[in-house]
PDB file of all heavy atoms in Angstrom:
ATOM      1  N   GLY A 834      12.393  25.160  -3.978  1.00  0.00           N
ATOM      2  CA  GLY A 834      13.036  24.822  -2.724  1.00  0.00           C
ATOM      3  C   GLY A 834      13.225  23.304  -2.562  1.00  0.00           C
ATOM      4  O   GLY A 834      12.852  22.484  -3.430  1.00  0.00           O
ATOM      5  N   TYR A 835      13.833  22.935  -1.465  1.00  0.00           N
ATOM      6  CA  TYR A 835      14.042  21.524  -1.161  1.00  0.00           C
ATOM      7  C   TYR A 835      12.724  20.787  -0.918  1.00  0.00           C
ATOM      8  O   TYR A 835      12.598  19.610  -1.265  1.00  0.00           O
ATOM      9  CB  TYR A 835      14.989  21.364   0.040  1.00  0.00           C
ATOM     10  CG  TYR A 835      16.432  21.571  -0.323  1.00  0.00           C
ATOM     11  CD1 TYR A 835      17.269  22.384   0.441  1.00  0.00           C
ATOM     12  CD2 TYR A 835      16.990  20.915  -1.444  1.00  0.00           C
ATOM     13  CE1 TYR A 835      18.601  22.546   0.080  1.00  0.00           C
ATOM     14  CE2 TYR A 835      18.311  21.104  -1.792  1.00  0.00           C
ATOM     15  CZ  TYR A 835      19.117  21.915  -1.027  1.00  0.00           C
ATOM     16  OH  TYR A 835      20.432  22.077  -1.372  1.00  0.00           O
ATOM     17  N   ASP A 892       1.196  27.873   9.935  1.00  0.00           N
ATOM     18  CA  ASP A 892       2.232  28.755  10.448  1.00  0.00           C
ATOM     19  C   ASP A 892       2.858  28.035  11.647  1.00  0.00           C
ATOM     20  O   ASP A 892       2.255  27.927  12.709  1.00  0.00           O
ATOM     21  CB  ASP A 892       1.715  30.146  10.863  1.00  0.00           C
ATOM     22  CG  ASP A 892       2.925  31.078  11.081  1.00  0.00           C
ATOM     23  OD1 ASP A 892       3.950  30.616  11.611  1.00  0.00           O
ATOM     24  OD2 ASP A 892       2.855  32.265  10.698  1.00  0.00           O
ATOM     25  N   ALA A 893       4.090  27.538  11.442  1.00  0.00           N
ATOM     26  CA  ALA A 893       4.715  26.634  12.396  1.00  0.00           C
ATOM     27  C   ALA A 893       5.304  27.383  13.593  1.00  0.00           C
ATOM     28  O   ALA A 893       5.918  26.744  14.448  1.00  0.00           O
ATOM     29  CB  ALA A 893       5.793  25.823  11.696  1.00  0.00           C
ATOM     30  N   SER A 939      10.616  21.245   6.046  1.00  0.00           N
ATOM     31  CA  SER A 939      11.501  21.927   5.130  1.00  0.00           C
ATOM     32  C   SER A 939      11.303  23.440   5.227  1.00  0.00           C
ATOM     33  O   SER A 939      10.980  24.069   4.232  1.00  0.00           O
ATOM     34  CB  SER A 939      11.295  21.396   3.719  1.00  0.00           C
ATOM     35  OG  SER A 939      12.198  21.996   2.845  1.00  0.00           O
ATOM     36  N   THR A 990      18.941  20.627   7.433  1.00  0.00           N
ATOM     37  CA  THR A 990      19.840  21.467   8.224  1.00  0.00           C
ATOM     38  C   THR A 990      20.960  21.946   7.347  1.00  0.00           C
ATOM     39  O   THR A 990      21.005  21.679   6.141  1.00  0.00           O
ATOM     40  CB  THR A 990      20.332  20.685   9.452  1.00  0.00           C
ATOM     41  OG1 THR A 990      21.075  21.593  10.301  1.00  0.00           O
ATOM     42  CG2 THR A 990      21.212  19.517   9.096  1.00  0.00           C
ATOM     43  N   LYS A1009      20.150  25.856  13.687  1.00  0.00           N
ATOM     44  CA  LYS A1009      20.469  24.549  13.043  1.00  0.00           C
ATOM     45  C   LYS A1009      21.179  23.592  14.003  1.00  0.00           C
ATOM     46  O   LYS A1009      20.971  22.366  13.944  1.00  0.00           O
ATOM     47  CB  LYS A1009      21.288  24.770  11.771  1.00  0.00           C
ATOM     48  CG  LYS A1009      20.517  25.458  10.659  1.00  0.00           C
ATOM     49  CD  LYS A1009      19.241  24.734  10.260  1.00  0.00           C
ATOM     50  CE  LYS A1009      18.646  25.207   8.950  1.00  0.00           C
ATOM     51  NZ  LYS A1009      17.300  24.635   8.702  1.00  0.00           N
ATOM     52  N   ALA A1036      22.130  19.782   3.940  1.00  0.00           N
ATOM     53  CA  ALA A1036      22.139  19.987   2.488  1.00  0.00           C
ATOM     54  C   ALA A1036      23.134  21.068   2.102  1.00  0.00           C
ATOM     55  O   ALA A1036      23.380  22.031   2.836  1.00  0.00           O
ATOM     56  CB  ALA A1036      20.753  20.375   2.019  1.00  0.00           C
ATOM     57  N   LEU A1039      21.539  25.737  -2.236  1.00  0.00           N
ATOM     58  CA  LEU A1039      20.548  25.727  -3.330  1.00  0.00           C
ATOM     59  C   LEU A1039      19.923  27.119  -3.451  1.00  0.00           C
ATOM     60  O   LEU A1039      19.623  27.748  -2.433  1.00  0.00           O
ATOM     61  CB  LEU A1039      19.430  24.719  -2.980  1.00  0.00           C
ATOM     62  CG  LEU A1039      18.245  24.687  -3.961  1.00  0.00           C
ATOM     63  CD1 LEU A1039      18.649  23.943  -5.257  1.00  0.00           C
ATOM     64  CD2 LEU A1039      17.041  23.984  -3.317  1.00  0.00           C
ATOM     65  N   SER A1041      17.242  28.722  -3.458  1.00  0.00           N
ATOM     66  CA  SER A1041      15.792  28.746  -3.162  1.00  0.00           C
ATOM     67  C   SER A1041      15.418  30.160  -2.802  1.00  0.00           C
ATOM     68  O   SER A1041      16.271  31.073  -2.681  1.00  0.00           O
ATOM     69  CB  SER A1041      15.551  27.864  -1.935  1.00  0.00           C
ATOM     70  OG  SER A1041      16.214  28.421  -0.820  1.00  0.00           O
ATOM     71  N   ALA A1043      14.262  31.170   0.096  1.00  0.00           N
ATOM     72  CA  ALA A1043      14.811  31.473   1.416  1.00  0.00           C
ATOM     73  C   ALA A1043      16.273  31.794   1.338  1.00  0.00           C
ATOM     74  O   ALA A1043      16.781  32.719   1.987  1.00  0.00           O
ATOM     75  CB  ALA A1043      14.562  30.289   2.371  1.00  0.00           C
TER      76      ALA A1043
HETATM   77  P1  NAI B1678      12.249  27.625   0.660  1.00  0.00           P
HETATM   78  O1  NAI B1678      12.054  29.076   0.605  1.00  0.00           O
HETATM   79  O2  NAI B1678      11.859  26.811  -0.516  1.00  0.00           O
HETATM   80  O3  NAI B1678      11.591  26.970   1.950  1.00  0.00           O
HETATM   81  C1  NAI B1678      11.395  27.590   3.156  1.00  0.00           C
HETATM   82  C2  NAI B1678       9.912  27.544   3.428  1.00  0.00           C
HETATM   83  O4  NAI B1678       9.652  27.893   4.787  1.00  0.00           O
HETATM   84  C3  NAI B1678       9.123  28.562   2.586  1.00  0.00           C
HETATM   85  O5  NAI B1678       8.145  27.859   1.824  1.00  0.00           O
HETATM   86  C4  NAI B1678       8.458  29.448   3.630  1.00  0.00           C
HETATM   87  O6  NAI B1678       7.180  29.871   3.230  1.00  0.00           O
HETATM   88  C5  NAI B1678       8.377  28.490   4.793  1.00  0.00           C
HETATM   89  N1  NAI B1678       8.200  29.125   6.115  1.00  0.00           N
HETATM   90  C6  NAI B1678       8.881  30.160   6.678  1.00  0.00           C
HETATM   91  N2  NAI B1678       8.404  30.418   7.886  1.00  0.00           N
HETATM   92  C7  NAI B1678       7.363  29.549   8.111  1.00  0.00           C
HETATM   93  C8  NAI B1678       6.455  29.351   9.185  1.00  0.00           C
HETATM   94  N3  NAI B1678       6.507  30.098  10.294  1.00  0.00           N
HETATM   95  N4  NAI B1678       5.520  28.376   9.067  1.00  0.00           N
HETATM   96  C9  NAI B1678       5.464  27.623   7.971  1.00  0.00           C
HETATM   97  N5  NAI B1678       6.291  27.774   6.939  1.00  0.00           N
HETATM   98  C10 NAI B1678       7.243  28.726   7.016  1.00  0.00           C
HETATM   99  O7  NAI B1678      13.826  27.449   0.982  1.00  0.00           O
HETATM  100  P2  NAI B1678      14.773  26.183   1.197  1.00  0.00           P
HETATM  101  O8  NAI B1678      16.150  26.727   1.119  1.00  0.00           O
HETATM  102  O9  NAI B1678      14.400  25.043   0.330  1.00  0.00           O
HETATM  103  O10 NAI B1678      14.531  25.772   2.713  1.00  0.00           O
HETATM  104  C11 NAI B1678      14.051  24.526   3.144  1.00  0.00           C
HETATM  105  C12 NAI B1678      14.940  24.001   4.264  1.00  0.00           C
HETATM  106  O11 NAI B1678      16.237  23.704   3.704  1.00  0.00           O
HETATM  107  C13 NAI B1678      15.188  25.025   5.399  1.00  0.00           C
HETATM  108  O12 NAI B1678      15.211  24.334   6.634  1.00  0.00           O
HETATM  109  C14 NAI B1678      16.585  25.535   5.067  1.00  0.00           C
HETATM  110  O13 NAI B1678      17.259  26.063   6.192  1.00  0.00           O
HETATM  111  C15 NAI B1678      17.217  24.238   4.555  1.00  0.00           C
HETATM  112  N6  NAI B1678      18.498  24.404   3.863  1.00  0.00           N
HETATM  113  C16 NAI B1678      18.602  25.193   2.740  1.00  0.00           C
HETATM  114  C17 NAI B1678      19.792  25.357   2.091  1.00  0.00           C
HETATM  115  C18 NAI B1678      19.893  26.202   0.855  1.00  0.00           C
HETATM  116  O14 NAI B1678      21.016  26.501   0.421  1.00  0.00           O
HETATM  117  N7  NAI B1678      18.794  26.628   0.252  1.00  0.00           N
HETATM  118  C19 NAI B1678      21.033  24.650   2.574  1.00  0.00           C
HETATM  119  C20 NAI B1678      20.807  23.808   3.706  1.00  0.00           C
HETATM  120  C21 NAI B1678      19.584  23.699   4.333  1.00  0.00           C
END
Side-chain angles (χ1 to χ4, degrees):
Y835 281 133
D892 193 323
S939 183
T990 187
K1009 291 306 193 189
L1039 174 76
S1041 64

